[in-house]
Amino acid sequence: MVAQMSTFSLISRARRTVRGSADDIGWLQRASGMPPVEDGTKRFNELLESIRHGVHKLPNSMVYLLVPGLFSNHGPLYFVNTKMRFSKMGLACHIAKIHSEASVEKNAREIKEYIEEIYWGSKKRVLLLGHSKGGVDAAAALSMYWSDLKDKVAGLALAQSPYGGSPIASDILREGQLGDYVNIRKVMEMLICKVIKGDMQALEDLTYEKRREFLKKYPLPREFPVVSFHTEAGLTPAVLATLSHVAHAEFPMVAPLTAGQSAKLPVVMPLGAAMAACAQLLQVRYGEKSDGLVTCRDAEVPGSIVVRPNRKLDHAWMVYSSLNDDPGEADASQVCEALLTLVVEAGQKKRHEITMKDE
C-alpha cells in the first residue's frame, strides 16, 4: 500500500513537472465574462511614426508616472532616457521609486501614495506606464484603491507585463516537481532574499495561481482606459549568440568588506542572449510566443487596447535599448510616448461615448 502511494506520488510529480504551465498560459483569455480586446497596433504605428518626425501630442495637463519592474533598483538606466525626453518636451514626468522586489500589494500601496501626492501637488491627473512587474503593480493599485484614485488617474499602459501570470515564475516555484526545478527555487530564494534583500513574494505574485487569486478579488475597473503592449524576442542564431544587449547592474556584496571597498558588486549580464534563450525554451516547450519572460497571451489585459508590433524586441529592451540603439528604429522613450498617447486617445473616446450616452 505504501509502495502504491509512493508510486502514485512520483507519477503525479512527474506529470506536474512535464505539464508545467501548459494548462495555465492564456487562462485569462479563456475565462468567462471577460471583455474582448481591441487591436490598436495600426494606430500605435501611426503615432510612433509621427513622433519620430517630431509630432508630439501628449498634453501637459497631465503628470506622467513611470513604474519600473522587478530588480529595477539595480538597473541605473531604467526609464531615465524616457524621463529626460519627456522633461525636454515640457512634460512633468516621475519614476516611481518603489522597492521592485517587494510584493504586488505592497507596491500597490506605494503607487497609490505616489498618485495622491502628485495629484494634490499639481492638481493634474496622473497617466501611468508600467513595465513588466511595474505594470502589474500599477494595475493592482488601481484595482485595490479605485474609489480613492478614480478622479486622480487618466489611464494606464502596461508594457510587457505578465498581467495573467508568468510561466517562468510558475515553473520555477511550482511545488511538487522533480529534478532541477527544486534547486532553481533554492537559487532564486537566495538571490532575491539574501543577496538583494527582496521578498520572495514578489516572484510568487507573478505565478498563475497568485494572479488568479488576485484578479478574482481585485478586477481592474472596466471604465478605465488601458493599453497592453507585448513583443516577441528574436530567435535567430545571431540573436541567440550575441552578447550585444548587455545590462549593467550592481548587487550588494555578501563577503566582508575591506577598508575602502565598494559595498556594491558590479555585474554584467548578457541579457539579449539570455532573453532569446528563454523565448526559445517557451516556444519549444509550450509553443508560445514570448519576449523571453512574458508570453504574448498573458500580457493582454481583457478589455484593453492591445499593441502587437512586428518588430522583434525582448523583455529587457524597454530598459536597456539605449545601450545599443538602432537609429533606423524607434527607441524605448518614443515607444513609451506612443503608448501613452494611445491611452490619452482611448480616454477621450470613452468620455465622448459616455457624453453621447447621457444625452
Side-chain angles (χ1 to χ4, degrees):
M1 185 68 176
V2 174
Q4 287 180 336
M5 291 180 63
S6 177
T7 301
F8 177 78
S9 175
L10 183 62
I11 293 174
S12 177
R13 291 176 65 190
R15 183 181 294 115
R16 189 175 301 147
T17 303
V18 172
R19 289 297 297 168
S21 297
D23 299 326
D24 296 316
I25 296 172
W27 72 271
L28 198 53
Q29 296 178 337
R30 301 188 297 270
S32 61
M34 292 296 175
V37 299
E38 176 186 342
D39 190 348
T41 307
K42 181 180 178 181
R43 181 54 184 157
F44 168 80
N45 289 334
E46 292 172 351
L47 291 170
L48 191 59
E49 186 66 17
S50 296
I51 289 168
R52 298 196 68 221
H53 285 86
V55 179
H56 306 285
K57 295 185 177 181
L58 283 180
N60 60 10
S61 58
M62 300 177 185
V63 177
Y64 301 90
L65 181 61
L66 308 175
V67 185
L70 200 62
F71 304 132
S72 60
N73 295 339
H74 309 287
L77 301 181
Y78 216 135
F79 278 141
V80 170
N81 284 351
T82 302
K83 183 179 185 298
M84 289 175 58
R85 180 185 291 271
F86 281 29
S87 297
K88 288 180 181 179
M89 290 190 293
L91 303 174
C93 182
H94 303 274
I95 301 174
K97 301 299 183 183
I98 58 176
H99 191 271
S100 62
E101 293 81 50
S103 69
V104 168
E105 293 196 15
K106 181 178 186 299
N107 282 344
R109 288 193 298 272
E110 292 189 5
I111 292 169
K112 170 187 179 286
E113 293 169 0
Y114 256 107
I115 293 170
E116 290 179 327
E117 183 179 344
I118 290 172
Y119 180 80
W120 294 119
S122 65
K123 303 303 179 185
K124 296 180 179 181
R125 291 192 300 162
V126 180
L127 195 57
L128 296 101
L129 184 147
H131 175 251
S132 189
K133 181 176 176 287
V136 174
D137 292 339
L142 301 174
S143 299
M144 294 174 66
Y145 304 106
W146 181 240
S147 59
D148 296 321
L149 299 178
K150 61 182 179 180
D151 296 324
K152 303 177 181 70
V153 178
L156 168 67
L158 297 96
Q160 301 173 309
S161 294
Y163 188 76
S166 166
I168 301 295
S170 294
D171 287 352
I172 290 173
L173 300 182
R174 187 175 292 106
E175 297 288 351
Q177 297 186 96
L178 296 174
D180 293 339
Y181 285 108
V182 177
N183 294 327
I184 292 174
R185 181 187 177 106
K186 291 179 180 178
V187 171
M188 291 302 297
E189 287 179 347
M190 182 182 71
L191 174 65
I192 294 175
C193 301
K194 303 296 184 181
V195 178
I196 58 179
K197 307 301 181 183
D199 186 347
M200 196 65 182
Q201 189 68 45
L203 192 61
E204 291 179 354
D205 282 348
L206 302 183
T207 63
Y208 291 112
E209 180 183 2
K210 292 297 183 181
R211 290 306 294 159
R212 278 192 177 93
E213 292 176 3
F214 184 89
L215 293 176
K216 182 179 181 180
K217 187 176 181 181
Y218 300 111
L220 196 62
R222 294 193 179 185
E223 67 269 29
F224 187 69
V226 178
V227 168
S228 306
F229 172 82
H230 62 69
T231 62
E232 298 175 36
L235 296 178
T236 63
V239 174
L240 287 167
T242 186
L243 300 183
S244 60
H245 294 272
V246 176
H248 296 269
E250 292 184 339
F251 291 107
M253 293 283 286
V254 293
L257 298 178
T258 60
Q261 184 180 355
S262 172
K264 299 287 185 177
L265 174 66
V267 178
V268 178
M269 297 176 287
L271 282 185
M275 291 297 102
C278 287
Q280 187 177 55
L281 173 64
L282 293 175
Q283 178 70 48
V284 171
R285 185 175 189 190
Y286 299 119
E288 292 289 338
K289 296 177 180 178
S290 74
D291 58 21
L293 292 182
V294 181
T295 69
C296 295
R297 290 200 288 161
D298 291 324
E300 296 192 0
V301 179
S304 70
I305 297 174
V306 176
V307 176
R308 309 170 176 126
N310 291 325
R311 185 180 172 193
K312 301 297 184 183
L313 300 170
D314 64 42
H315 192 80
W317 176 84
M318 184 69 76
V319 186
Y320 295 108
S321 69
S322 60
L323 294 174
N324 192 26
D325 279 340
D326 181 350
E329 298 281 2
D331 62 22
S333 60
Q334 292 170 331
V335 167
C336 288
E337 184 181 349
L339 290 173
L340 288 170
T341 304
L342 195 58
V343 177
V344 171
E345 291 187 352
Q348 293 170 343
K349 182 180 178 181
K350 281 183 178 290
R351 288 194 298 274
H352 177 71
E353 291 173 350
I354 292 172
T355 301
M356 294 297 290
K357 190 175 181 179
D358 291 341
E359 293 178 353

